[in-house]
Amino acid sequence: MHYMHFNPIFSRDNFHALYLSAEWLCPIIFLAYISQGIHAPYDETDALLLLTAQRKKKVETGNGIIINLLQLCTLPLWPINKQLARKINCRLGYSISSQLVALLEWWSGTECTLYTDPESYKLYGKENAIVVLNHNFEIDFMTGWTFCERFGVLGSSKVLAKKELSFVPVIGWMWYFLEIVFCKRKWEEDRKTVVQSLRNLQDYPEKFWFLLHCEGTRFTEKKHKISMEVAEKKGLPKLKYHLLPRTKGFCVTVQNLRGTVTAVYDSTLNFRNNEMPTLLGVLNGKKYHADLYVRRIPLDTIPEDESECAAWLHKLYQEKDEFQEHYRQTGRFPGPITNPPRQLWALLNWLFWVCLLVYPLCMLLLQLLLSGSTFTVVCTFVFCLAVSVGIRWMIGQTEIDKSSNYGNKDMQMNNN
C-alpha cells in the first residue's frame, strides 16, 4: 500500500506542481484533501469548509463533474434495475478514485509489500470484508484504497464519511451514488441513519470492503497523551503506537453486516526507514516503500454482544501495538511476504483523462502565451502561479501537525 508532499517556479519540483495543478487534477487534489476526514469521519480539518467554499466553482469542471453527470443519468435506472445502476456507479466511481491510486503507484512509484497468510490471500477480493486500518500517517487513506485496487474492489469500497461531504461536488456526489455511509458527529442522531445505510448494503451486487479507522482521528503525540489518560481512568491497557479505538461505530458496523460480510481484515501499516510520507511528497514524485500487515479474522469469531465486541476491539488494538513494536525492532512484520501486482486499469484511466482534458488545456495556454498580448501573457502566468500556490496551501492544511482538534477535546470526555 502507499503514500504522499511540493519550490523557483520552473524547477523540476515546480514543474511537477504546475503540471499537477492543471484543471483535470483539481478534483483529485480536492479528493485527496477531504479524504483526510473521510476514513476518520469524526476527524475534521479546520480548513475543510473554507476549501469547499473556495473551490466549489472550480472543481465543477473536468473529469469529476463529467462523471457526476453520468452518475446522475443513472437515476431513472434505479427503480427499473437497481442492481444494474449500482454496478454502473461502481465503475464510474472507480474512474475518480483510481486516479489517486495512479498518482501513488505510477507517478511516485511507491512500492508496497504485503505481509499476510497465503490462505487468506486467496480470499482477498472474493468476499465482503471490514478493513480496520491504523491511522498514523498523513495519507494512510491512500493505502486503504491501493489495497482495494490491488484486489479489484476499489470501485465498490465503502467508508464512513461526514454528512457535509455528501453535498460537495465530485467526491461527495460520487459517494452519494455509491451509497457511502454518511454520519454527523452526534452518535444519538447517527445510529438510526448509519444502521439503515449499513442494512442497504446487504443486497449489494459487488464485492465490497468497508474501511474503518477505529481510532477516529489521526495519531499525534498530543492526542496520544490524552487518549492514554482516558485508558488509565478506564482501567484499559495503554497503547504505544495507537490511540484507544472508538468502539461504537465498529460494533454497529459488525452487528449490521453479519451475514453480508464474512471477515474483518486487521490491517497495520508502516513505512521503511521510519519515513513519514506526505501528500506533497507523492505529488513531487517521491518514492516510498510501504509495509502492510493484514490478518483475516472470520466475522463469526467476533462477539455479538456490544460490550463483548468492544472488549474484543480493545484487545485487537493491543495486538496491533505488538505488531508495530515488532516492526520497530526488526524492520518487518511477522509472516510471509507477498507483492500483489499493480493493476493497469488505474494507469489507463489516468492517461485517458490526461489526453481528454490536459491536452486541450495546454493548447489553450499556449495560444494565450503566443497571442502577443503582454497583458494576456502576464495574466496567464499569474493564474498558473496562483493555482500552484493555492494547491500548495490546501495540501499544507492536511499535514498531521495541522490536523483536527477533535481528538484533543473529545477523548478527554468519552472514548466511545
Side-chain angles (χ1 to χ4, degrees):
M1 310 346 244
H2 317 70
Y3 293 33
M4 306 186 163
H5 249 105
F6 261 79
N7 288 285
I9 298 302
F10 294 107
S11 66
R12 178 184 180 278
D13 287 345
N14 282 288
F15 174 77
H16 280 237
L18 190 58
Y19 174 76
L20 290 169
S21 67
E23 186 175 84
W24 72 277
L25 195 55
C26 285
I28 303 305
I29 303 302
F30 182 71
L31 173 59
Y33 177 82
I34 62 176
S35 292
Q36 300 300 316
I38 282 163
H39 293 315
Y42 301 105
D43 182 27
E44 180 186 44
T45 54
D46 295 333
L48 175 61
L49 295 179
L50 177 62
L51 174 69
T52 302
Q54 290 181 337
R55 298 298 295 168
K56 191 169 184 179
K57 292 183 179 179
K58 292 184 180 180
V59 297
E60 290 177 352
T61 57
N63 61 338
I65 292 301
I66 293 173
I67 292 169
N68 283 163
L69 291 173
L70 291 174
Q71 289 182 306
L72 189 63
C73 293
T74 66
L75 280 177
L77 184 60
W78 279 78
I80 301 171
N81 192 331
K82 177 181 175 181
Q83 301 297 55
L84 177 59
R86 283 170 149 179
K87 291 181 178 181
I88 293 172
N89 276 288
C90 283
R91 274 67 183 175
L92 292 172
Y94 174 86
S95 186
I96 294 179
S97 53
S98 66
Q99 293 180 58
L100 268 180
V101 174
L103 278 176
L104 185 67
E105 294 187 332
W106 299 95
W107 176 262
S108 81
T110 294
E111 296 182 5
C112 175
T113 297
L114 179 64
Y115 295 77
T116 194
D117 171 57
E119 293 303 312
S120 298
Y121 184 89
K122 296 176 183 178
L123 298 173
Y124 297 158
K126 299 177 181 178
E127 62 180 355
N128 297 331
I130 298 169
V131 181
V132 177
L133 297 152
N134 58 313
H135 206 7
N136 299 72
F137 301 97
E138 186 176 306
I139 51 165
D140 44 19
F141 73 95
M142 293 189 69
T143 300
W145 283 13
T146 304
F147 186 26
C148 292
E149 165 66 5
R150 295 290 177 97
F151 294 98
V153 294
L154 177 60
S156 57
S157 63
K158 311 298 176 189
V159 295
L160 194 60
K162 290 179 289 189
K163 178 65 176 177
E164 297 91 333
L165 298 182
S166 64
F167 304 107
V168 175
V170 183
I171 182 66
W173 297 351
M174 175 192 77
W175 275 342
Y176 174 81
F177 285 99
L178 288 178
E179 300 172 82
I180 292 298
V181 180
F182 291 104
C183 64
K184 300 177 182 178
R185 294 178 179 274
K186 299 179 180 179
W187 183 245
E188 296 74 18
E189 299 178 16
D190 284 335
R191 179 181 283 271
K192 185 176 180 180
T193 303
V194 170
V195 166
Q196 185 57 52
S197 297
L198 290 169
R199 289 178 178 173
N200 289 341
L201 299 177
Q202 291 177 354
D203 64 342
Y204 206 74
E206 301 278 322
K207 298 300 180 185
F208 69 87
W209 290 355
F210 197 100
L211 281 66
L212 287 174
H213 283 306
C214 295
E215 292 161 272
T217 185
R218 187 172 287 105
F219 184 100
T220 65
E221 290 301 328
K222 184 176 180 180
K223 292 175 185 177
H224 180 254
K225 183 173 181 279
I226 296 171
S227 182
M228 293 308 99
E229 289 172 358
V230 174
E232 187 173 357
K233 291 177 182 178
K234 292 189 173 186
L236 295 169
K238 292 186 178 182
L239 302 173
K240 185 176 180 180
Y241 302 105
H242 302 84
L243 307 178
L244 285 181
R246 299 171 186 249
T247 60
K248 287 183 179 178
F250 175 79
C251 293
V252 168
T253 301
V254 168
Q255 289 170 358
N256 289 279
L257 290 182
R258 285 189 184 275
T260 303
V261 164
T262 53
V264 168
Y265 296 166
D266 172 35
S267 305
T268 306
L269 173 72
N270 217 318
F271 283 84
R272 296 189 183 180
N273 304 316
N274 294 318
E275 284 194 296
M276 294 295 289
T278 62
L279 177 57
L280 286 175
V282 168
L283 291 175
N284 277 340
K286 184 175 180 179
K287 182 176 181 178
Y288 300 103
H289 196 130
D291 287 321
L292 184 70
Y293 178 52
V294 180
R295 293 187 299 164
R296 181 184 181 276
I297 304 171
L299 195 70
D300 56 16
T301 64
I302 301 175
E304 295 189 27
D305 179 76
E306 187 168 338
S307 60
E308 293 180 4
C309 182
W312 182 91
L313 184 62
H314 281 296
K315 185 175 184 298
L316 182 77
Y317 268 78
Q318 292 162 29
E319 294 171 354
K320 290 173 80 70
D321 230 42
E322 293 173 2
F323 298 143
Q324 287 286 31
E325 181 64 29
H326 183 277
Y327 189 90
R328 296 297 175 95
Q329 302 263 342
T330 66
R332 57 162 290 153
F333 287 116
I337 294 176
T338 59
N339 290 293
R342 293 183 295 181
Q343 302 296 316
L344 276 175
W345 287 113
L347 176 62
L348 294 175
N349 176 71
W350 192 31
L351 293 174
F352 168 77
W353 289 109
V354 169
C355 294
L356 185 67
L357 296 177
V358 173
Y359 177 74
L361 178 64
C362 290
M363 292 303 296
L364 174 61
L365 289 175
L366 184 61
Q367 289 178 14
L368 290 173
L369 292 172
L370 298 178
S371 66
S373 168
T374 303
F375 177 77
T376 301
V377 171
V378 170
C379 288
T380 302
F381 178 80
V382 170
F383 172 76
C384 292
L385 180 62
V387 169
S388 180
V389 171
I391 289 177
R392 290 165 184 261
W393 177 83
M394 287 187 296
I395 296 173
Q397 302 306 305
T398 71
E399 294 174 359
I400 290 176
D401 60 358
K402 296 180 182 179
S403 63
S404 166
N405 289 324
Y406 171 71
N408 298 335
K409 297 175 182 178
D410 289 9
M411 270 190 282
Q412 294 175 344
M413 297 182 291
N414 184 3
N415 188 61
N416 293 330

